[in-house]
Amino acid sequence: MRLLLIEDEEVLGRMTSESLVQSGFTVDWFDTGSAGSAAAHAHDYDVILLDLGLPDMPGEAVMEQLRAVRSTTPVIVLTARGQVEDRVAMLDLGADDYLVKPFAMTELCARIRAVKRRVSAGADHNDMLKVGPLELFRNTRSARWKGNPVTITAKEFDLLEALVVRRPAVVSREKLEEAIYGWGEEVESNAVDVYIHFLRRKFSPGLIVTIRGKGYQIGNEELLLLEARRPAAGASQ
Ligand code: CA
């Protein structure tokens, strides 16, 4: 299970990530809200642990950014604030659970497993993204078109998912590069064009629309449905 830890206090951050690693989790630890949000853009985490008191932006703003890109990833808020109103506000913003500092590591581990179980129980619902004839399954990172499985690579899946979760917004090339490349990976020029070319060929030319000078957008749902009803090119009539 891969966790994203966003915590600015160095000792607490190191202790928390070390004990989580000892408990068998993989942990990416960032100490600012902006770095944490960027990591959430780039990788699919099982659970996100968010400290509310960060130096660069309010916890509420980080929470909103996380929800914008990872609408179904469970978020556990770690807070020193004991006020009931703060906790209610975080839950309203979409946090799945919270722990008040100081907390026991055993309790944190138990909470992580509990939110993950809750999400997995509803996986059929939460993990499937659908646009017309296109279905994306986040748990298996696979895709179907008109009900038929389509083989796609991990990077093709990431790119498609980035477009689908933001629909109907136009997504810039930079955002798509962030979605398909991990930290420290070298971005190949034209990679986005190449993946989009393959995706259009595998699914439908109208799957991804180029908006000149702005970026890319997932095709209009009704048009994709119309396109899917037409017989495939080369199919016998
Ligand atoms: Ca803090």
Side-chain angles (χ1 to χ4, degrees):
M1 211 190 283
R2 185 166 181 177
L3 310 176
L4 170 61
L5 170 66
I6 309 174
E7 167 64 72
D8 66 307
E9 284 144 67
E10 213 203 315
V11 174
L12 186 59
R14 197 174 55 239
M15 268 175 43
T16 307
S17 66
E18 279 172 5
S19 2
L20 290 170
V21 167
Q22 275 166 19
S23 303
F25 298 103
T26 303
V27 183
D28 289 350
W29 168 31
F30 295 92
D31 60 4
T32 61
S34 53
S37 301
H41 272 266
H43 299 285
D44 205 356
Y45 291 99
D46 293 292
V47 177
I48 297 170
L49 309 172
L50 172 66
D51 167 37
L52 275 196
L54 293 165
D56 61 328
M57 58 167 97
E60 289 78 0
V62 185
M63 189 69 221
E64 276 169 7
Q65 286 194 5
L66 293 176
R67 278 291 164 251
V69 281
R70 296 283 175 209
S71 57
T72 59
T73 306
V75 177
I76 301 177
V77 161
L78 310 174
T79 176
R81 309 187 208 168
Q83 297 295 318
V84 172
E85 302 83 69
D86 291 328
R87 294 181 231 157
V88 170
M90 291 322 290
L91 293 173
D92 279 346
L93 275 176
D96 296 84
D97 202 354
Y98 65 87
L99 268 176
V100 178
K101 294 176 186 174
F103 48 81
M105 285 302 155
T106 47
E107 181 170 13
L108 179 59
C109 292
R111 298 284 185 99
I112 290 168
R113 284 190 291 267
V115 290
K116 185 62 190 162
R117 260 199 312 275
R118 281 210 296 275
V119 168
S120 304
D124 288 348
H125 180 68
N126 286 329
D127 281 0
M128 204 259 271
L129 299 166
K130 191 169 162 61
V131 183
L134 171 71
E135 291 165 308
L136 288 183
F137 300 91
R138 288 166 135 177
N139 50 349
T140 51
R141 302 171 67 70
S142 59
R144 288 198 308 202
W145 179 254
K146 296 198 272 178
N148 302 315
V150 177
T151 307
I152 56 174
T153 65
K155 285 206 186 331
E156 287 168 355
F157 183 93
D158 289 340
L159 195 152
L160 204 45
E161 183 189 31
L163 288 168
V164 168
V165 295
R166 292 174 180 83
R167 75 187 182 282
V170 177
V171 186
S172 68
R173 168 183 297 270
E174 292 71 37
K175 275 268 175 293
L176 292 178
E177 284 174 350
E178 270 177 35
I180 60 179
Y181 287 103
W183 296 105
E185 259 189 276
E186 200 177 320
V187 177
E188 303 156 67
S189 62
N190 290 332
V192 166
D193 302 286
V194 171
Y195 292 126
I196 286 176
H197 168 78
F198 282 125
L199 285 167
R200 283 175 176 151
R201 210 161 71 180
K202 287 179 178 183
F203 293 88
S204 145
L207 179 70
I208 298 166
V209 181
T210 305
I211 310 291
R212 200 166 288 279
K214 295 209 166 91
Y216 304 89
Q217 186 183 33
I218 206 78
N220 174 281
E221 184 154 11
E222 282 82 46
L223 291 180
L224 288 175
L225 280 168
L226 280 176
E227 207 166 318
R229 273 191 218 113
R230 283 205 299 269
S236 55
Q237 302 290 309

